[in-house]
Amino acid sequence: MPEIKVTPLGAGQDVGRSCILVSIGGKNIMLDCGMHMGYNDDRRFPDFSYITQNGRLTDFLDCVIISHFHLDHCGALPFMSEMVGYDGPIYMTHPTKAICPILLEDFRKITVDKKGETNFFTSQMIKDCMKKVVPLNLHQTVQVDDELEIKAYYAGHVLGAAMVHIKVGSESVVYTGDYNMTPDRHLGAAWIDKCRPDILISESTYATTIRDSKRCRERDFLKKVHESIERGGKVLIPVFALGRAQELCILLETFWERMNLKAPIYFSTGLTEKANHYYKLFITWTNQKIRKTFVQRNMFEFKHIKAFDRSYADNPGPMVVFATPGMLHAGQSLQIFKKWAGNEKNMVIMPGYCVQGTIGHKILNGQRKLEMEGRSTLDVKLQVEYMSFSAHADAKGIMQLIRMAEPRNMLLVHGEAVKMEFLKGKIEQEFSIDCYMPANGETVTVTTNPSVPVDISLNLLKREMALGGPLPDPKKPRTMHGTLIMKENSLKLVSSEQALKELGLNEHQLRFTCRVQLQDPHSDTDTLHRIYTHLKSVLKGYTIQHLPDGTVMVESIVIKVSSSTEDPNTKVLLLSWSYQDEDLGSFLSTLLKKGLPSGLC
Amino acid sequence: RTDMEETEFDDILDDWFIESLKTYKDLHVYQLEHPTQVIEWTSGKTVCVAGFTSSKNEILELRLPLKLFADENKGLCAERDFKVVHGGFTDAPVRFSNCLNLQVWDLGGDDSDVIRRTGSVDGSRGVSEGGSRIAARLSSQPQVLHGAESAGVRLTQLTSGQTVYTLETDSADPLSSLHFVSDAVFLAGCSNGKVYIADTRTSAAPQLSPPPPSSGESVLWWTDASAGPSCLDPSSCRIVRLSSCGQTVISDLRNPGGAVSRAQLDVQTRRCNADDVRVSWAPALDDCIAVSGFSGAVQIYSSSVWTTELQEAQPLFEHRGHAVSSQSDDGVPVFVTSHVWHPERPRTLLSAASDGSVHVWDWVDQSAAGC
C-alpha cells in the first residue's frame, strides 16, 4: 500500500526544536532544522543519525525546507549542512533567506564569544550554508526534481514565515511551521487553499491553550511604558531589527498621539536603516494596513519616534528607546542598559526569548547582580518586564486551518501527547480524520489512497460506446475489454489489437461452440428464418443478419441449423461465438433452449 | 464589513483599551470557539466552561493565566493564556451546570486531559423549561441539591444516588436558583420572587419569604445569598433579589420578609433571556453585588449606600468589554451569559458573553467610598 512516513527528530520530549523528516513517494525531505537553546551539548541538535549513522546526508535527502528565521527552526542548519554534511538544495522564502544569516551570526557570536564554545559552526560555515539556499515565492510551484514539487503559503507569525505544500505524484503533505490565524498590526493571517493533502503536519506547542487577545498584551505593554514615563523613568526595549519592533513602534505612536504625550521615543539608527531596507524589500509580506501606510510615507517616519544618538542616553527625564541587539548581549542595547540599570524608576521590557548566557536571559531569571567585564558588578535596580508577543496558533487556530486545507489525516508534533487526548478526540470527531501525535524519534506511517490517472485511447472509447443493445442492462457497469499499458511513467488503456501490435504479438482467437436442440416441424431453411425473426424481435439494437450462405449472425455469433438424422422435426442449432461475445453467446443459447414462440410466421 | 467600518471599530476598541489602562488593574480577553452560559470554579485557579447548543457541546476546564497570580514577580511572568487542563464532550446543552438529567463528570487526573461522564442523577420530575437548578455541597460526601420547582427540590448523595432530603412546599413554583448558605441551610429562589429557606437537618417546614411588593405577573426574579466566613452564623446572611425590571431588594435571613435596602437599577431591559441573568454577592468585598445578563455589560453595585427607599442606583463599575469588542455580523447585540467572582481576590471577575468571549478582569475602585 502506498504510504507516507513522518518522523520528528530530536532527543527527548522537549518542545522548541523543530526538525521533521518526511518520506513521500520515494523522496526524503527535511522540514526545518532547529536548535534547542536550553542545552549546551549535543542534545541541542536534532539527532541526524536517524538518517544515516555516519557520513554526509546529501545522498539521503532530496531537499531541506526551512519555514522561518526563528532559531528553533533554523538554528542547526549550518551545523547540519557544513559539519554533518549536506550539499543538496535548501528552500526558504526570500525574507527568511535575508534574515536567517543575521540571526545565525548573532547566535554564533553569543555562543562562541560569550560562552567559549568550541564545537560550533563558524561564520564561514554560515556563509557556505546560505549559498545552498534556493529562495521561494509565495504560491509558486517549484520543481525540486521530476517528481517532487513544493509550494509556499503565507503563514503570518513573523516576516517571511511560510507553510509548505509538498507533492509527489498524487500524494501530498502540508507542513505549517509556526503560523497564526489572526492578523496583527504588521502581518496578515495564515492562508491556504482547499488542497486536501494526505497529511497536514502542525506544531502543537500551544494546542492546549486559549490565547489572550493581542490587544490585551499590547495594553499591558502600554501600561508599563506609561507608568514608567509618568514617574520620570526611562524605558529600554531591546529588539531585533525586524518584526516586533515595527509593531511596537506603531503601537506607541498611536498611543502617544491619543494621549498627547511628550516624552521622546527613540529608535537606534542601525535599526532604522536595516528595518527600512528589509521592509521595502519584503513589503508584500506585510499586511494590507502596513502596505497602505508605506505607500503614503516612509515606514519609519513617525511623528513621535526619532533617531537615537548615544549621547541621549544621559539626558534627564523620561524617554523610550528601542535598541539592538534583542538579548542585551552586546552593542547599543547593552550600553544603555548599563547606564540605566541602577535606577529603580527605569524599566527594561524584553519582548522575546533570550538565549542562555546573555544578560537578557539572566535578568529574566530574576538575577539582580550581574558580573560585567573587568570584574565589576552591576546592580539591577530597574524594573524588568517580560512580554511575549509572538503569535502562535492555539487549539482554535489548528481547527481553523484544518477547515481550510481539508487534510485526509492530521499530525501534531511537539506537543505533550498525554495531554492532547482531548484535542485529538475533537479533531477526530469533527472531521472524521485520524490524528497522530508522534513523539520525537517515533515514525508515523500513514497509508494513502492515491488515485491513479489512466488515459484511454479514443478508438477504444468509441468502440465501447458503439456496442449497443438494451441487454445486458445499460445502467449496470459493463465489462470492457482493453489492455493497460505502462509506458514512460504514464498509463494508457488501449484496445487489445493495438496492444498486441505495440508488443508485436499475435492474437489468438478463442471460439466457443454450443449445440442446442429444438423441436420445430419446419424445414431447416424455415427454422432458420423463424430463428432470425424471433431474434430480431427480442434483440432490438443488435446487428442481426440472415446471410445467403444459410447462417444467421448476431454480431459475430454464427447460428446454423441442421436436422437430426433420426427425426426431421428435431433441429440441432449450432451456435458459435468468439470469446469477446461470451455474454451474448450465453444469452442466445439460453434463449434458444426455450424454443421458438408459436406465433412466428 | 467595509474598510471604513473596520477602522471605526478598531478605533472604538483602541479607545476602550486605552481607557482601561486606568480603570482595570488586570485585563485578559479570550475567545472560545462556542459561547458558554456556565463558569464554575473547580479550584482556586481553574474554572469549567461548557457549550449550550442542542447538539454536541464541549466542556473545558481552564487554568487561569499564571500572570494573574504571579503577584511577586509579575513582571517576569509572560504567561497570559488560559491552559486547557481537561476537555470533554456532552450531547446536551449545559446551563447552570445542569441538564434535565443531571450528569456527573469526572475531571480526568494528571495522566489524561479528557473529561468523562461517570454517572447521572435522575433529574427533577417537574417539567420546567429552564431545566433544573443545582447547588453543590462540598462536604465529606459529595452531595448535590437540585430541582426545577420548589416542591421537589432534593438533596442527593452522588455516590449512592440516595435522596437525603426533600423540600416540601405548598406550591410548585419554578426555581431560578438554589444556594447553600451553610452546611445545612439552603435557599430556593423562585422566579416569581418567593424565597424558601430550609434546613436539611430538620423536617420542619421551610421558611417562606414572599415576593417583594409591586411584583407583577410577568416579572421574573433572581436571587443570591451571601455565604462565606461572615456567614458562619447563617442568620446573619443576606439575600439579594433582582427583578427583570431592575428592582433590587436586600433582605436579612433573620427577617426574610422585610427589606434591609432597595434600589432601582438601570438594566436597560431589551429582551432578556431568563437563563442569562445573574446577580451575585462579592465573596471578598463587603456589600458589593454584580449584575449581568441584561446587556453586554457586567455592572458592580455597592449596596452600602442603599436605603429602604426605592431609589435609582448608579453602578460603581461597569465592564463593557464584551459589548465593545464584539463584532456581531447579524446585528444581534451581544449579551453577557454568565459571570463569577474570584473566591479570594476581591475585585477579580470572570464574565462570558453570547459571542463566545470570556474576560478575566480586575477592576479599579475609583470611588472614595464603596467596595
Side-chain angles (χ1 to χ4, degrees):
Chain A
M1 283 303 292
E3 56 194 25
I4 303 177
K5 290 192 158 95
V6 180
T7 313
L9 291 187
Q13 272 279 349
D14 283 328
V15 299
R17 164 203 21 220
S18 297
C19 185
I20 299 160
L21 287 183
V22 172
S23 279
I24 173 176
K27 305 288 170 186
N28 294 324
I29 300 140
M30 179 184 284
L31 300 169
D32 280 338
C33 192
M35 172 94 79
H36 194 298
M37 311 306 208
Y39 293 117
N40 289 328
D41 52 26
D42 282 348
R43 283 177 296 174
R44 61 182 158 199
F45 302 120
D47 185 8
F48 300 118
S49 67
Y50 180 85
I51 306 170
T52 172
Q53 288 293 322
N54 39 37
R56 303 177 73 77
L57 304 175
T58 316
D59 292 335
F60 298 89
L61 290 175
D62 291 281
C63 71
V64 174
I65 305 175
I66 302 290
S67 62
H68 63 288
F69 61 66
H70 277 159
L71 289 173
D72 56 342
H73 288 258
C74 72
L77 190 63
F79 170 78
M80 192 271 300
S81 73
E82 306 311 305
M83 292 170 85
V84 177
Y86 169 74
D87 298 312
I90 301 173
Y91 291 95
M92 57 180 79
T93 62
H94 286 274
T96 311
K97 181 176 178 202
I99 299 165
C100 239
I102 303 171
L103 292 185
L104 286 169
E105 179 55 35
D106 263 356
F107 179 48
R108 189 207 67 77
K109 266 204 228 134
I110 300 171
T111 316
V112 171
D113 300 345
K114 291 278 155 197
K115 288 161 73 187
E117 290 257 349
T118 44
N119 185 27
F120 211 75
F121 49 83
T122 62
S123 295
Q124 186 58 43
M125 286 181 187
I126 296 175
K127 293 195 182 104
D128 291 337
C129 171
M130 297 311 287
K131 286 187 195 139
K132 299 171 184 171
V133 169
V134 179
L136 293 170
N137 288 317
L138 280 181
H139 306 164
Q140 179 194 51
T141 305
V142 170
Q143 296 288 143
V144 177
D145 61 33
D146 284 341
E147 292 150 321
L148 171 61
E149 58 182 55
I150 61 178
K151 182 155 82 162
Y153 287 92
Y154 192 80
H157 184 61
V158 288
L159 191 67
M163 305 190 288
V164 68
H165 181 259
I166 299 152
K167 194 157 103 132
V168 179
S170 55
E171 288 178 306
S172 63
V173 164
V174 169
Y175 170 58
T176 63
D178 285 341
Y179 62 104
N180 179 36
M181 298 302 289
T182 42
D184 60 31
R185 281 181 207 265
H186 80 296
L187 290 174
W191 180 86
I192 194 166
D193 49 17
K194 232 186 256 298
C195 51
R196 300 208 171 98
D198 289 290
I199 311 177
L200 174 61
I201 304 175
S202 170
E203 296 278 333
S204 57
T205 322
Y206 291 90
T208 52
T209 62
I210 297 179
R211 307 275 290 173
D212 190 7
S213 75
K214 198 61 188 291
R215 273 203 162 82
C216 275
R217 289 168 207 272
E218 292 175 345
R219 175 193 174 271
D220 223 26
F221 171 71
L222 291 175
K223 192 161 196 274
K224 295 294 166 198
V225 171
H226 194 218
E227 276 167 7
S228 258
I229 298 293
E230 293 259 272
R231 58 173 186 243
K234 296 171 166 57
V235 183
L236 171 64
I237 308 171
V239 285
F240 295 108
L242 298 135
R244 228 37 77 190
Q246 278 66 45
E247 206 170 292
L248 298 177
C249 278
I250 296 168
L251 190 56
L252 279 187
E253 169 95 342
T254 319
F255 186 55
W256 248 241
E257 186 71 25
R258 243 177 238 273
M259 304 285 281
N260 202 16
L261 298 175
K262 301 294 176 212
I265 309 176
Y266 300 112
F267 208 80
S268 65
T269 40
L271 218 59
T272 323
E273 280 158 23
K274 268 205 207 113
N276 229 358
H277 168 71
Y278 287 118
Y279 265 85
K280 275 206 192 116
L281 267 184
F282 305 122
I283 194 68
T284 47
W285 283 85
T286 58
N287 67 19
Q288 276 274 61
K289 278 199 196 135
I290 296 283
R291 259 175 275 164
K292 275 200 207 138
T293 44
F294 203 85
V295 166
Q296 292 159 15
R297 62 173 171 88
N298 181 309
M299 198 46 218
F300 276 87
E301 271 163 26
F302 287 112
K303 225 168 103 179
H304 302 275
I305 309 182
K306 305 285 168 225
F308 186 66
D309 182 276
R310 64 158 102 178
S311 63
Y312 297 173
D314 297 315
N315 288 358
M319 72 172 81
V320 180
V321 177
F322 288 91
T324 53
M327 298 182 206
L328 286 181
H329 51 281
Q332 193 166 66
S333 61
L334 183 59
Q335 273 179 13
I336 300 172
F337 177 77
K338 283 192 213 167
K339 285 196 178 171
W340 295 358
N343 188 338
E344 61 246 340
K345 280 202 229 161
N346 296 340
M347 180 185 284
V348 63
I349 300 181
M350 308 297 296
Y353 177 83
C354 291
V355 167
Q356 217 179 48
T358 56
I359 302 250
H361 184 91
K362 291 183 183 146
I363 59 173
L364 284 180
N365 275 332
Q367 228 176 298
R368 304 302 275 177
K369 273 190 172 15
L370 299 170
E371 250 189 50
M372 313 298 287
E373 283 114 51
R375 300 253 195 102
S376 60
T377 330
L378 183 66
D379 273 325
V380 179
K381 292 204 185 128
L382 87 176
Q383 221 174 308
V384 180
E385 293 284 333
Y386 183 24
M387 300 207 170
S388 160
F389 287 99
S390 75
H392 282 266
D394 56 4
K396 195 166 109 176
I398 293 175
M399 302 296 279
Q400 280 176 303
L401 190 68
I402 299 177
R403 267 175 225 124
M404 252 191 204
E406 289 189 11
R408 298 200 179 95
N409 295 279
M410 189 65 201
L411 199 139
L412 299 169
V413 289
H414 298 138
E416 290 171 86
V418 153
K419 298 285 179 134
M420 286 181 5
E421 232 187 289
F422 172 60
L423 179 62
K424 180 170 139 79
K426 212 163 112 121
I427 292 173
E428 286 171 347
Q429 266 186 39
E430 185 168 332
F431 303 109
S432 302
I433 59 177
D434 283 328
C435 179
Y436 302 90
M437 301 184 306
N440 284 335
E442 185 192 318
T443 303
V444 165
T445 307
V446 176
T447 315
T448 57
N449 201 7
S451 48
V452 181
V454 172
D455 292 326
I456 179 169
S457 90
L458 197 56
N459 285 332
L460 186 60
L461 197 59
K462 278 188 185 161
R463 188 215 285 189
E464 287 299 321
M465 281 170 62
L467 287 176
L471 300 153
D473 186 344
K475 286 213 175 92
K476 276 207 211 137
R478 43 198 280 170
T479 318
M480 180 200 245
H481 293 283
T483 310
L484 190 68
I485 300 183
M486 195 155 88
K487 203 156 107 174
E488 289 151 9
N489 277 339
S490 72
L491 293 162
K492 270 194 316 181
L493 199 59
V494 299
S495 67
S496 313
E497 295 85 21
Q498 192 179 336
L500 287 166
K501 205 158 82 177
E502 292 205 26
L503 294 166
L505 292 174
N506 287 324
E507 185 175 8
H508 289 73
Q509 292 281 333
L510 269 177
R511 283 199 83 82
F512 296 92
T513 43
C514 161
R515 283 185 168 73
V516 176
Q517 282 209 339
L518 201 62
Q519 290 301 338
D520 197 56
H522 291 97
S523 71
D524 285 356
T525 327
D526 284 344
T527 308
L528 190 68
H529 187 79
R530 279 159 61 77
I531 290 169
Y532 171 71
T533 317
H534 175 50
L535 291 181
K536 260 210 105 74
S537 75
V538 174
L539 292 175
K540 295 193 180 28
Y542 283 91
T543 315
I544 306 176
Q545 299 165 291
H546 188 167
L547 298 176
D549 65 357
T551 61
V552 165
M553 272 196 74
V554 180
E555 302 291 334
S556 69
I557 300 166
V558 178
I559 306 173
K560 282 196 183 132
V561 176
S562 58
S563 311
S564 124
T565 37
E566 293 91 29
D567 169 24
N569 283 344
T570 305
K571 306 292 175 199
V572 176
L573 305 180
L574 184 71
L575 278 77
S576 155
W577 61 83
S578 70
Y579 176 68
Q580 275 80 350
D581 288 323
E582 241 269 66
D583 277 350
L584 190 55
S586 304
F587 175 77
L588 280 180
S589 73
T590 314
L591 177 70
L592 292 172
K593 279 194 182 121
K594 292 186 190 148
L596 296 169
S598 41
L600 283 176
C601 57
Chain B
R1 301 179 94 237
T2 66
D3 265 354
M4 188 61 165
E5 280 170 5
E6 193 77 43
T7 318
E8 265 172 33
F9 174 79
D10 280 343
D11 283 342
I12 296 173
L13 198 52
D14 275 343
D15 281 338
W16 185 78
F17 267 95
I18 288 176
E19 200 196 302
S20 79
L21 293 177
K22 286 201 223 65
T23 52
Y24 294 83
K25 198 169 125 230
D26 281 311
L27 179 63
H28 296 260
V29 166
Y30 302 94
Q31 188 65 38
L32 298 178
E33 268 187 273
H34 308 285
T36 181
Q37 264 184 348
V38 165
I39 312 175
E40 299 256 333
W41 291 99
T42 50
S43 82
K45 295 196 165 123
T46 54
V47 286
C48 250
V49 294
F52 56 95
T53 65
S54 50
S55 58
K56 220 165 187 82
N57 291 293
E58 278 179 17
I59 301 180
L60 301 172
E61 188 190 19
L62 305 171
R63 193 191 63 209
L64 264 60
L66 294 177
K67 197 171 175 91
L68 197 64
F69 300 101
D71 283 316
E72 265 187 30
N73 275 321
K74 207 159 177 132
L76 300 180
C77 180
E79 280 231 29
R80 303 185 59 91
D81 303 327
F82 267 148
K83 174 101 181 129
V84 180
V85 181
H86 295 105
F89 296 98
T90 170
D91 288 327
V94 185
R95 302 176 198 270
F96 292 102
S97 60
N98 78 66
C99 312
L100 275 176
N101 252 333
L102 289 175
Q103 297 179 342
V104 180
W105 298 83
D106 182 24
L107 296 174
D110 278 333
D111 54 353
S112 161
D113 71 336
V114 177
I115 297 176
R116 283 179 232 282
R117 202 174 112 182
T118 56
S120 64
V121 172
D122 236 339
S124 113
R125 279 158 239 130
V127 177
S128 155
E129 262 183 21
S132 305
R133 304 296 171 224
I134 76 166
R137 189 162 106 182
L138 302 162
S139 57
S140 50
Q141 297 152 335
Q143 296 175 336
V144 81
L145 194 64
H146 58 104
E149 291 171 341
S150 54
V153 172
R154 286 181 291 158
L155 182 64
T156 305
Q157 209 186 75
L158 282 178
T159 39
S160 62
Q162 267 194 318
T163 302
V164 169
Y165 173 88
T166 311
L167 180 65
E168 280 167 23
T169 59
D170 290 331
S171 51
D173 307 296
L175 292 178
S176 62
S177 59
L178 288 169
H179 306 277
F180 272 106
V181 294
S182 76
D183 240 19
V185 177
F186 72 89
L187 294 186
C190 307
S191 8
N192 58 14
K194 286 189 198 168
V195 176
Y196 290 97
I197 303 148
D199 189 324
T200 58
R201 294 167 298 196
T202 80
S203 52
Q207 268 190 295
L208 166 60
S209 168
S214 73
S215 170
E217 271 285 309
S218 55
V219 174
L220 297 172
W221 290 86
W222 296 273
T223 316
D224 190 27
S226 64
S230 60
C231 267
L232 282 174
D233 170 16
S235 61
S236 73
C237 275
R238 278 170 310 158
I239 310 166
V240 60
R241 265 177 282 200
L242 170 69
S243 82
S244 46
C245 37
Q247 209 196 114
T248 315
V249 179
I250 297 178
S251 323
D252 200 305
L253 211 58
R254 285 169 291 199
N255 176 20
V260 168
S261 55
R262 303 188 160 84
Q264 177 61 48
L265 309 183
D266 175 21
V267 292
Q268 304 153 30
T269 28
R270 268 160 273 166
R271 22 164 285 265
C272 78
N273 188 353
D275 272 342
D276 293 325
V277 175
R278 301 268 191 288
V279 59
S280 63
W281 286 104
L285 281 180
D286 289 335
D287 303 325
C288 270
I289 297 168
V291 172
S292 73
F294 292 99
S295 67
V298 181
Q299 296 170 320
I300 315 270
Y301 292 90
S302 168
S303 63
S304 59
V305 298
W306 296 357
T307 63
T308 49
E309 291 272 314
L310 183 64
Q311 280 183 336
E312 269 188 28
Q314 291 305 314
L316 189 61
F317 187 84
E318 199 171 12
H319 174 70
R320 291 174 38 250
H322 296 281
V324 170
S325 56
S326 154
Q327 286 181 284
S328 87
D329 292 318
D330 53 1
V332 175
V334 76
F335 52 92
V336 176
T337 53
S338 181
H339 76 259
V340 286
W341 291 85
H342 189 281
E344 283 134 40
R345 297 167 61 97
R347 282 175 202 79
T348 302
L349 285 100
L350 276 80
S351 54
S354 53
D355 62 352
S357 56
V358 172
H359 294 179
V360 182
W361 38 287
D362 192 337
W363 53 282
V364 171
D365 181 11
Q366 306 209 300
S367 69
C371 308

